[in-house]
Amino acid sequence: MNSELYLSDLEAKPAALRGLAAALREENPFAALPPGLTRVLFLGMGSSRYAAGVAALRLRRAGVDAYADYASAEATYPAAADTLVVPISATGSSRETLDAVERYTGGPSYLAALTNIQGSPLAERADLVVDMRAGEERGGVACRTFQHTLALLLALEAHLTGTGRDLPKLLERAAEATTDLLDRRDEWLPMTMELLDGDRGVYTVAPAERLSSAEQSALMFREGPRRPADACETGDWSHVDVYLTKTLDYRALLYPGSRYTEQAMDWVRERGSTVVTVGGEVKDARAAVRYAHDDDPDVALLTETLVAELVAGHWWSAR
């Protein structure tokens, strides 16, 4: 792991996204899926599972039986001919994911693997291999692969539900949003780093529909600069994390969009906690980081973690 290479990986996000958009214009990576699939099971660990959790929620909202599980779970849905199993691993070699896939290899379920490494052990076990097209992450941290996993799971959603959204155009808008944050980082990054720099860690909060943003952000704070960090869903925050605001120097990165944001902010105001928002203005937040197209929830899903990734990268470099 290398902090400077990690920052370079982040700077390469817009070009990688545009490359993926071009590839999706040429081909639907899920076109070979067989008919008759009625259930989707996502398997993964870490960032892969974070992205899968959001994808499963979106599919359920569209009426598809979908679930995201830890690959390390001893048991989950049994193999069945109508079940699409989607193991996700950027390296294609995550031990837990490979172990989970063994339960489905050679059985009636169809295996469609998402990986960034063609010819990886995971790719060798799959019926269909979907290339993340994220390029090499030389910093050793899943950042572009996380973003591309989300994008490809949106492509899977479009394929299974028949929705007509122009996904390549969405990815281009996300590339523009990412470029905007990178180009203007001198305006917002120093202030954000200062506001979040407490001795009790960073807490990240996001609505259920984009919970992966909070989870990935907290992981970036832990993985690079090795700081305490934890993620929470916005509505659940008032039931599980609110207690910390009473005794800690509580500092949070908040992704707006939940109907329960104001409920959480009531406690923040009462207890003088520090909140920085990303992608929207929230009354009494200490600062707001805005970016191009941040009024589009799908652009936000693909873009907003860059704020935490850049903060984490600079803290990491300063260690």
Side-chain angles (χ1 to χ4, degrees), residues 181-194:
L181 281 171
L182 288 167
D183 288 349
R184 294 187 303 101
R185 76 189 92 170
D186 289 345
E187 299 175 14
W188 61 263
L189 184 56
M191 169 192 62
T192 304
M193 291 173 60
E194 180 181 352

Side-chain angles (χ1 to χ4, degrees), residues 106-121:
S109 294
Y110 192 89
L111 282 168
L114 268 65
T115 180
N116 203 43
I117 307 295
Q118 297 298 297
S120 65

Side-chain angles (χ1 to χ4, degrees), residues 7-15 175-189 291 303 306 309-310 314:
L7 289 170
S8 295
D9 287 339
L10 297 178
E11 291 169 349
K13 275 188 167 191
E176 292 169 0
T178 302
T179 298
D180 184 41
L181 281 171
L182 288 167
D183 288 349
R184 294 187 303 101
R185 76 189 92 170
D186 289 345
E187 299 175 14
W188 61 263
L189 184 56
Y291 55 88
T303 305
L306 180 60
E309 289 168 331
L310 283 169
H314 284 273

Side-chain angles (χ1 to χ4, degrees), residues 6 47-48 90 137 139-147 216 219-220 223 309:
Y6 167 67
S47 297
S48 299
E137 291 174 318
V141 176
C143 52
R144 291 200 307 270
T145 50
F146 171 72
Q147 189 176 44
Q216 175 72 1
L219 175 59
M220 294 299 97
E223 190 169 357
E309 289 168 331

Side-chain angles (χ1 to χ4, degrees), residues 2-107:
N2 180 292
S3 61
E4 296 307 315
L5 292 178
Y6 167 67
L7 289 170
S8 295
D9 287 339
L10 297 178
E11 291 169 349
K13 275 188 167 191
L17 270 179
R18 291 189 176 99
L20 181 58
L24 291 177
R25 276 204 175 85
E26 295 295 322
E27 182 183 17
N28 172 7
F30 298 99
L33 291 181
L37 298 170
T38 62
R39 171 178 288 162
V40 182
L41 172 63
F42 298 103
L43 296 170
M45 303 297 292
S47 297
S48 299
R49 187 183 60 80
Y50 302 158
V54 167
L57 178 61
R58 291 175 66 104
L59 284 172
R60 290 196 299 273
R61 184 176 62 188
V64 178
D65 183 7
Y67 187 68
D69 212 343
Y70 289 92
S72 56
E74 286 298 322
T76 182
Y77 285 121
D82 65 344
T83 298
L84 171 64
V85 179
V86 184
I88 306 169
S89 170
T91 64
S93 58
S94 298
R95 176 182 174 184
E96 301 87 351
T97 304
L98 292 175
D99 287 348
V101 164
E102 288 301 316
R103 297 196 292 266
Y104 300 96
T105 303

